[in-house]
Amino acid sequence: MIHIQDITGLVLAGGKGARMGGVDKGLQAFRGLPLALHTLLRLQLQTGSVLINANRNLAAYEAFGAAVWPDVLADYAGPLAGFLTGLEHCATPWLLTVPCDTPFFPLTLATRLAAAAEQQGADIAMAAAPQDDGAGGVSVRPQPVFCLLRADLLESLAAFTQAGGRKIDAWTGRHACAIVPFDEPGDDPQAFFNANTLAELHRLERSADPGSEPVGHPPRADSP
């Protein structure tokens, strides 16, 4: 059985924030606190320890009280660079990755991913969330930045990235991967919504107020 103490949580805050005008997304204010701090506090409830992956303003992130590690790959190489950094510094058998811009991700994320990984004998468990399919319906699609990874996948990921690989699904597809839908009764349909622009962030913040309409950016493919 995978216990909480067997899991290290990693907040992915190493992106360029290009769609926010180049600002450090994780440090933008959300309900009175930096966005990445909301994520960190939510992750701490589910894991034995936590890390932050960031590439600038390191002192500001260190003030959150967790160890902060920049990408081990150069030039903002994307979420897999954060995965690789987390695995290099993970002292537990499992690593759970979450992006910094999804402040309402499920409080059951770790337990449900861990249960699926154990039941299926998988090396990776990945969340999937409902979203508009563009044809008036809803489909459940994988959310690759929400991943539970065996720590011993470090060598595999290092080889993949050294060969120039950057797509999460291209790497996870090489391993036994459990896909875990978060579309059960009682699951929050807003849980995986993220903010890519400052306007979306402000709308997402207002959506948390009682009586307001839930507005956010639909779950992304693999970019934090």
Side-chain angles (χ1 to χ4, degrees):
M1 184 173 182
I2 302 172
H3 297 281
I4 282 180
Q5 296 302 319
D6 295 328
I7 303 173
T8 297
L10 176 69
V11 177
L12 299 167
K16 290 182 178 180
R19 283 174 284 183
M20 279 196 179
V23 301
D24 194 333
K25 185 185 292 189
L27 297 180
Q28 301 310 299
F30 182 82
R31 298 173 67 180
L33 294 173
L35 185 58
L37 182 54
H38 281 277
T39 303
L40 181 71
L41 294 172
R42 205 167 182 87
L43 193 57
Q44 282 179 326
L45 299 173
Q46 306 185 46
T47 60
S49 58
V50 288
L51 305 171
I52 299 172
N53 165 232
N55 289 310
R56 47 185 171 156
N57 301 309
L58 302 188
Y61 283 107
E62 288 169 353
F64 296 174
V68 180
W69 299 100
D71 285 350
V72 295
L73 300 176
D75 301 323
Y76 292 91
L80 276 187
F83 283 28
L84 183 61
T85 300
L87 289 173
E88 287 199 352
H89 297 284
C90 182
T92 58
W94 294 88
L95 178 74
L96 176 61
T97 66
V98 298
C100 69
D101 63 349
T102 309
F104 304 136
F105 71 88
L107 290 171
T108 57
L109 180 69
T111 55
R112 289 165 69 173
L113 293 183
E118 184 174 12
Q119 290 166 6
Q120 300 182 34
D123 298 317
I124 301 169
M126 182 186 298
Q131 65 181 88
D132 187 343
D133 64 6
V138 175
S139 61
V140 178
R141 295 183 58 187
Q143 303 299 309
V145 284
F146 292 90
C147 264
L148 181 68
L149 311 166
R150 285 192 184 275
D152 58 13
L153 293 176
L154 172 59
E155 184 176 344
S156 166
L157 184 53
F160 180 80
T161 54
Q162 286 168 9
R166 294 294 181 267
K167 296 294 290 182
I168 297 177
D169 56 0
W171 174 68
T172 58
R174 300 182 174 195
H175 299 278
C177 181
I179 303 297
V180 185
F182 282 76
D183 62 346
E184 298 177 1
D187 283 340
D188 181 0
Q190 308 297 316
F192 291 93
F193 275 38
N194 69 296
N196 281 324
T197 68
L198 288 173
E200 288 174 353
L201 179 62
H202 296 153
R203 288 198 297 270
L204 187 61
E205 184 172 27
R206 289 195 298 271
S207 78
D209 295 333
S212 64
E213 289 296 323
V215 180
H217 193 276
R220 89 282 274 156
D222 63 357
S223 176

